[in-house]
Amino acid sequence: MGRNALIAGNWKLNLDHHEALHLIRDLGLRLNQLELSKVEVAVHPPFTDLRTVQTIVEGDKLPISLGAQHVSHHAKGAYTGEVSTTMLAKLKTQYVLVGHSERRALFGMDDQLVQQTAAAVIAEGMSAVICVGESAEEREAGEMTAVLERQTLAAVRGLPATAADAIVLAYEPVWAIGTGQAATAEDAQHAASFLRETLSSSLGKAAADSIRILYGGSVQPQNTEELLGGPDVDGVLVGGASLNGATFAEIVAAAVRCYG
Ligand code: 13P
C-alpha cells in the first residue's frame, strides 16, 4: 500500500523537562544510526516538556516528530487547565493522541468529545492519532467489533475523505495496555483489517487505504517485528517501553528491519 511505518512513544505522565531533555538526546543519537526513510518516529511527551523537546529536535535536526497526548476541543477562553490546538501547532506539534483509553476511562472523554477533538486537531493542520480499543469485558462478551466500529465511526463523523492524510488510527485493546500481555500478531492484524474496512465504509476505500493503523499495548523490542507483520498494521504506539532511549530505539530498529 506504500504506507510508511509510524513508531510513536506515549510518555504518559512521566518525565519532567530535564529528564525529557536527556531522553530525547539519547534517542536522537541512536536514531541517527538508523535508516529511517520508511519509518517515522514520534514522541508524545507531557505538555510541560514539549518546548524543550521541540528545541532539541529542531536544533539538532533529529528525525523525530513531535506529538502531544491530549488537547482541548475549545479554541480559547475560560477553560481553566486546558491547552489549545493553536498552542500546540505553534510548537510545531504534528500529532495529537485523541481518545486514549485512559482519557476515556479516567477523564470522561466520550465518543462525541473524541470527534470534536479530532476535528479541532485536523482543522489546525495537525494529525489526530485516534485511539480505539475494547476492554477485557467487552472482548469476552463478543463485543469487540461493535466497540471498534462505534468508536471509529464516531471519531471520523463529519470528516471528508481528504482528511485521511491527517488521521492515524491506533488499536489499543485496553486489556493489553501496561499488562505485559500484548495482543498476538493475528489479533492485531484482525482488528486492524476490521478497522480499515470500517474506515472505508465512512471515508471511502482510497482514504482508508492511505490511513496508518497502529497497534498499542505492551509493545516491546521482542514482539515488534511480529506485530508489524500484519499487512494492515502500520506501526506501534508504545507506552512504558518508550521511556528508555535504548529500548525505544530497539523497537524502531525492529520496524526498520520490517520496512527496509
Ligand atoms: P504500554 O506500552 O505501556 O502497554 O502502553 C500502551 C499505551 O497505552 C500507549 O498509548
Side-chain angles (χ1 to χ4, degrees):
M1 279 308 148
R3 295 182 300 266
N4 287 346
L6 175 60
I7 308 299
N10 174 11
W11 296 1
K12 306 193 180 185
L13 182 47
N14 295 289
L15 308 181
D16 63 35
H17 75 282
H18 287 290
E19 294 165 326
L21 186 149
H22 289 296
L23 173 54
I24 212 71
R25 286 220 165 108
D26 177 50
L27 182 63
L29 288 173
R30 294 171 191 278
L31 295 184
N32 275 336
Q33 290 162 32
L34 300 174
E35 164 52 44
L36 293 175
S37 56
K38 295 198 181 131
V39 176
E40 183 183 356
V41 180
V43 293
H44 296 256
F47 287 133
T48 53
D49 300 358
L50 285 176
R51 177 67 172 148
T52 304
V53 172
Q54 181 224 358
T55 305
I56 296 166
V57 165
E58 275 186 17
D60 296 353
K61 298 194 172 34
L62 301 179
I64 299 173
S65 302
L66 190 58
Q69 299 175 20
H70 176 63
V71 74
S72 175
H73 67 292
H74 294 295
K76 65 191 306 192
Y79 301 103
T80 302
E82 292 292 87
V83 165
S84 75
T85 52
T86 339
M87 294 168 184
L88 292 183
K90 198 86 178 167
L91 286 170
K92 306 216 179 96
T93 303
Q94 273 176 258
Y95 294 98
V96 185
L97 301 183
V98 180
H100 189 281
S101 65
E102 286 149 18
R103 302 284 334 163
R104 292 179 191 259
L106 305 173
F107 302 100
M109 196 163 188
D110 61 15
D111 284 340
Q112 191 190 359
L113 195 49
V114 170
Q115 181 266 323
Q116 290 169 324
T117 309
V121 166
I122 294 167
E124 197 57 47
M126 300 181 289
S127 292
V129 181
I130 298 164
C131 304
V132 298
E134 82 286 1
S135 67
E137 298 72 40
E138 288 163 337
R139 189 179 184 85
E140 275 151 31
E143 293 166 3
M144 179 187 97
T145 52
V147 169
L148 295 185
E149 183 171 47
R150 191 201 79 227
Q151 291 180 337
T152 304
L153 292 180
V156 301
R157 189 162 47 83
L159 291 174
T162 49
D165 284 355
I167 298 172
V168 176
L169 201 57
Y171 170 58
E172 296 211 302
V174 178
W175 47 268
I177 295 178
T179 58
Q181 189 204 336
T184 62
E186 290 71 32
D187 284 339
Q189 165 56 26
H190 175 246
S193 150
F194 175 77
L195 288 171
R196 203 173 297 287
E197 274 173 39
T198 305
L199 285 170
S200 180
S201 73
S202 173
L203 299 172
K205 184 167 171 9
D209 281 346
S210 72
I211 291 176
R212 286 174 294 181
I213 300 180
L214 315 184
Y215 164 79
S218 298
V219 173
Q220 292 290 336
Q222 299 80 350
N223 59 17
T224 301
E225 264 187 86
E226 209 186 332
L227 286 163
L228 290 178
D232 287 295
V233 179
D234 307 312
V236 285
L237 179 52
V238 187
S242 71
L243 297 174
N244 177 285
T247 309
F248 191 53
E250 274 184 58
I251 290 174
V252 177
V256 170
R257 286 197 292 279
C258 294
Y259 279 75

